[in-house]
Amino acid sequence: MTATTSSEINDLTEQAEQEALILHSVDRFLARDVAPYVMKLEHDDIYPEDIVERMKELGLFGAVIPTEYGGLGLRPSTYARIVERISAVWMSVVGILNSHLIMAHIVHRKGTEAQRRAFLPRFASGETRGGLALTEPDCGTDIQAIRTTARRDGSDYVVNGTKTWMSNGIYGTCFALLVKTNPDAEPRRSGISMFLAEKGNGFSVSRKLEKLGYKGIDSAELIFDDYRVPASNLIGEVEGHGMQCALSGLELGRVNVAARGVGVAQAALDEAVRYSQIRKTFGKPIHEHQAIALKLADMVTRVTAARLLTHYAANALDRGERCDFEVGMAKLFATEAAVENALEAMRIHGGYGYSKEFIVERLYRDAPLLVIGEGTNEIQRLVIAQRLIERSQAGLTS
């Protein structure tokens, strides 16, 4: 018993040391390769190719992919810390990682061993990058209403339909694609499947989508016109499991978005604190005025609470537990904190906050995406309430 306990302690210590080194490498990468170039790349909406190459070298495209498939094998809680750090510098960089890693997470959790060995090493190296293709022009939150279909034809499926708001849509080459293999199925979810779709004949990008914020990352509309995908690319090689695949991936995605919220909220706080000590009115720094001091107090409280909720949710995911309740609360609170802190930072900056020369202008444009992405916050509230009642009826504490 003592030997086992000692071994477990050694493993945890080694893991902690490894993760500390990775976080240190991420901090250096952000200071050297990202921060100096953000303003130019973001304002001109330029895809950060050099930054992507550096992320490949660091192994970040394999962050949560197990080491046996060439990844770093990081726990979701460590990945959340990486996301928070990157988002505090430039949130768009995280978007390039997140959708890609959701796809990888789905393959690891729901794919066959053959699919893991065929795809995960390529995903981990960044050789093959992509994302999660759920949203359609007439379908967002209600993903069971998708219209993209896949019809079996010999050893292939023939796919027709459109996906929109696809992160990595232009520069990515492989997507976890949600389709209807049985459009008439009841319940609807039983007719939904997911494929690994690599770009080829019949799979094209129709256009890049312009956005208020979240610049740099390519968001695009994808067209499938009699696109043929091998039946072996059906995740799990069983039809009707697409919804389970999507929901499995979204747990990691929502931890990611919550961590993004923490990063943006922290960046807004940092900028507000810095400016409040420089800017003077009526003969003293503005942080000495009660109106500003109250704002700063609320901002730091929000970001601290958001961080704790996010770590709480990520730790549940580490343990492999069902965590839609914890993840929903973290995503809801942290993203609202990002929006509120970004607005307060702009107000503290006054007229300068409205200028493109200041970081808070970008934070103000980026933050609203978080309350929409990976399931709107209205949906998160419904999920939280439903799980709360389920837990109460089962005699569990919240």
Side-chain angles (χ1 to χ4, degrees):
M1 189 68 160
T2 303
T4 302
T5 303
S6 175
S7 174
E8 289 174 350
I9 291 172
N10 288 337
D11 288 346
L12 289 172
T13 301
E14 184 178 342
Q15 185 179 51
E17 290 174 351
Q18 177 196 26
E19 292 177 350
L21 287 173
I22 290 170
L23 292 174
H24 178 65
S25 296
V26 169
D27 288 337
R28 290 182 58 195
F29 154 69
L30 292 170
R32 183 183 60 193
D33 300 317
V34 181
Y37 309 103
V38 173
M39 298 293 274
K40 172 67 176 175
L41 292 170
E42 200 276 341
H43 286 158
D44 292 344
D45 200 7
I46 298 171
Y47 185 75
E49 294 186 41
D50 291 342
I51 292 174
V52 169
E53 289 303 309
R54 183 66 180 130
M55 288 195 294
K56 287 167 64 175
E57 294 171 9
L58 289 171
L60 293 180
F61 286 102
V64 297
I65 296 174
T67 55
E68 64 185 291
Y69 302 108
L72 296 179
L74 300 180
R75 298 174 299 173
S77 56
T78 303
Y79 176 52
R81 289 179 172 86
I82 291 173
V83 169
E84 179 187 332
R85 282 167 157 79
I86 297 175
S87 296
V89 178
W90 189 19
M91 191 181 79
S92 294
V93 172
V94 171
I96 296 171
L97 286 175
N98 183 46
S99 190
H100 170 83
L101 287 173
I102 291 176
M103 173 175 64
H105 184 70
I106 291 171
V107 173
H108 177 236
R109 293 280 299 274
K110 301 295 184 180
T112 64
E113 183 58 26
Q115 289 169 341
R116 295 186 196 106
R117 297 199 177 280
F119 286 94
L120 291 182
R122 292 160 51 195
F123 292 167
S125 68
E127 170 194 349
T128 299
R129 301 194 307 277
L132 183 64
L134 303 182
T135 305
E136 298 186 2
D138 296 322
C139 163
T141 298
D142 181 13
I143 59 176
Q144 294 188 76
I146 60 170
R147 297 181 181 179
T148 299
T149 60
R151 173 180 52 83
R152 185 70 184 253
D153 183 24
S155 60
D156 295 336
Y157 282 80
V158 179
V159 179
N160 284 281
T162 301
K163 296 291 181 178
T164 194
W165 294 115
M166 294 301 101
S167 296
N168 296 327
I170 296 172
Y171 291 89
T173 57
C174 182
F175 295 83
L177 174 65
L178 197 71
V179 300
K180 282 191 172 176
T181 44
N182 182 0
D184 300 320
E186 289 294 340
R188 292 182 299 170
R189 64 189 299 131
S190 66
I192 295 175
S193 304
M194 184 173 280
F195 289 85
L196 286 168
E198 298 189 83
K199 283 183 176 175
N201 291 335
F203 178 172
S204 61
V205 178
S206 68
R207 61 191 176 115
K208 177 182 177 179
L209 300 169
E210 300 296 332
K211 307 182 296 292
L212 169 70
Y214 203 38
K215 305 283 189 176
I217 182 173
D218 51 321
S219 301
E221 188 172 80
L222 307 180
I223 304 295
F224 300 89
D225 184 9
D226 286 340
Y227 165 70
R228 302 187 77 88
V229 58
S232 59
N233 282 22
L234 173 62
I235 296 179
E237 294 191 347
V238 179
E239 290 187 7
H241 289 183
M243 283 295 293
Q244 294 96 313
C245 291
L247 294 174
S248 173
L250 287 174
E251 283 189 345
L252 179 67
R254 285 170 182 162
V255 165
N256 172 290
V257 172
R260 287 196 219 185
V262 176
V264 171
Q266 182 67 59
L269 172 64
D270 292 343
E271 292 301 314
V273 169
R274 184 179 301 114
Y275 186 76
S276 73
Q277 296 175 80
I278 296 170
R279 174 67 168 162
K280 294 182 179 180
T281 62
F282 303 102
K284 58 184 179 182
I286 61 173
H287 70 83
E288 294 184 15
H289 295 292
Q290 189 178 64
I292 301 300
L294 295 177
K295 289 181 183 296
L296 294 175
D298 286 343
M299 291 173 74
V300 71
T301 301
R302 273 194 292 268
V303 74
T304 302
R307 181 175 291 113
L308 291 171
L309 268 173
T310 300
H311 290 175
Y312 173 58
N315 288 336
L317 196 56
D318 283 352
R319 296 189 296 269
E321 300 172 357
R322 177 182 177 179
C323 55
D324 50 345
F325 182 65
E326 294 83 359
V327 168
M329 290 192 295
K331 195 271 185 185
L332 169 64
F333 191 87
T335 58
E336 296 290 348
V339 171
E340 292 170 17
N341 275 17
L343 175 59
E344 292 292 57
M346 175 173 281
R347 295 173 74 170
I348 288 171
H349 278 70
Y352 288 111
Y354 209 61
S355 167
K356 285 190 174 184
E357 295 180 8
F358 283 74
I359 292 173
V360 293
E361 179 268 345
R362 167 166 52 86
L363 300 176
Y364 182 73
R365 288 184 290 105
D366 280 352
L369 171 68
L370 300 176
V371 304
I372 301 169
E374 308 295 0
T376 66
N377 280 3
E378 287 72 22
I379 286 295
Q380 301 313 311
R381 287 181 169 92
L382 294 177
V383 170
I384 293 163
Q386 181 181 356
R387 290 289 289 132
L388 177 65
I389 297 303
E390 289 174 1
R391 288 185 173 207
S392 175
Q393 292 174 343
L396 301 174
T397 61
S398 59

